[in-house]
């Protein structure tokens, strides 16, 4: 429902434009609206897919670990508080695992099992991206061009 809101649909168009520009940049083609438009709006390394993979990894990890933990207190809320203190530090390795899964998948999308594994994230991207307008493509093209200029410029001290 939110995507039907005019301003949100515009944001989703920029998200789709960003994906197309990144695909073109990775393919090494010149960043022109015509070239960028040819690429898909779904990208295996999207933050949306990352969030979904992070959620799945945390569910799997927490489902495996937390039943094995002893109760820390007879008081239920103290137990829950202890679990929070365990879960918060686990955010970092969970995010790291999710990042590596996404990174691996992006490099192996030619394999059917990897595409199947990434399908939920790519399907979710259908909700978080829209086909971009020419103006949105131009903005998406300008962003990586600016990054490339920054990388090429000598560091200022």
């Amino acid at each position: 429902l939110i995507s039907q809101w005019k301003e949100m649909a515009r944001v989703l168009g920029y998200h789709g434009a960003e994906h197309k520009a990144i695909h073109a940049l990775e393919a090494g083609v010149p960043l022109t609206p015509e070239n960028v438009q040819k690429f898909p709006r779904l990208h295996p390394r999207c933050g949306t897919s990352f969030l979904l993979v992070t959620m799945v990894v945390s569910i799997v990890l927490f489902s495996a670990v937390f039943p094995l933990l002893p109760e820390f207190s007879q008081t239920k809320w103290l137990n829950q508080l202890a679990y929070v203190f365990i879960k918060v530090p686990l955010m970092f390795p969970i995010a790291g695992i999710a990042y590596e899964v996404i990174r691996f998948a992006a490099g192996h999308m030619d394999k059917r099992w990897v595409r199947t594994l990434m399908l939920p994230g790519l399907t979710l991207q259908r909700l978080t991206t829209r086909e971009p307008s020419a103006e949105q493509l131009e903005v998406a093209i300008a962003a990586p061009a600016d990054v490339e200029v920054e990388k090429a410029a000598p560091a200022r001290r």
Side-chain angles (χ1 to χ4, degrees):
L1 290 173
I2 290 172
S3 69
Q4 301 307 309
W5 178 28
K6 182 182 173 188
E7 288 303 310
M8 185 53 70
R10 187 168 173 249
V11 169
L12 300 179
Y14 279 111
H15 190 198
E18 171 203 3
H19 287 187
K20 287 175 174 271
I22 295 300
H23 273 297
L25 186 67
E26 292 170 346
V29 301
L31 296 180
T32 65
E34 298 77 29
N35 286 344
V36 171
Q37 183 61 41
K38 297 173 187 172
F39 287 91
R41 74 175 207 253
L42 307 180
H43 196 282
R45 284 193 335 271
C46 175
T48 304
S49 293
F50 171 75
L51 289 174
L52 185 63
V53 170
T54 300
M55 186 176 67
V56 169
V57 169
S58 65
I59 289 170
V60 169
L61 182 68
F62 294 157
S63 295
V65 170
F66 279 79
L68 303 175
L69 294 177
E71 286 197 12
F72 297 100
S73 169
Q74 297 297 338
T75 310
K76 190 169 182 102
W77 72 270
L78 283 175
N79 263 342
Q80 291 304 313
L81 186 62
Y83 290 161
V84 167
F85 283 108
I86 294 169
K87 287 179 181 180
V88 169
L90 286 175
M91 288 187 318
F92 303 104
I94 288 169
I97 291 167
Y99 172 80
E100 293 300 331
V101 167
I102 294 288
R103 189 168 156 239
F104 173 83
H108 296 87
M109 289 299 283
D110 57 324
K111 295 177 176 67
R112 176 187 255 175
W113 71 270
V114 173
R115 285 193 311 273
T116 302
L117 180 70
M118 296 307 293
L119 187 61
L122 294 172
T123 302
L124 187 57
Q125 287 180 49
R126 292 185 187 284
L127 298 174
T128 64
T129 62
R130 293 288 179 269
E131 280 299 324
S133 68
E135 175 190 82
Q136 291 168 326
L137 285 174
E138 288 177 17
V139 171
I141 288 168
D146 286 347
V147 170
E148 290 298 315
V149 169
E150 286 294 323
K151 278 182 18 184
R156 295 183 187 151
R157 303 208 183 218

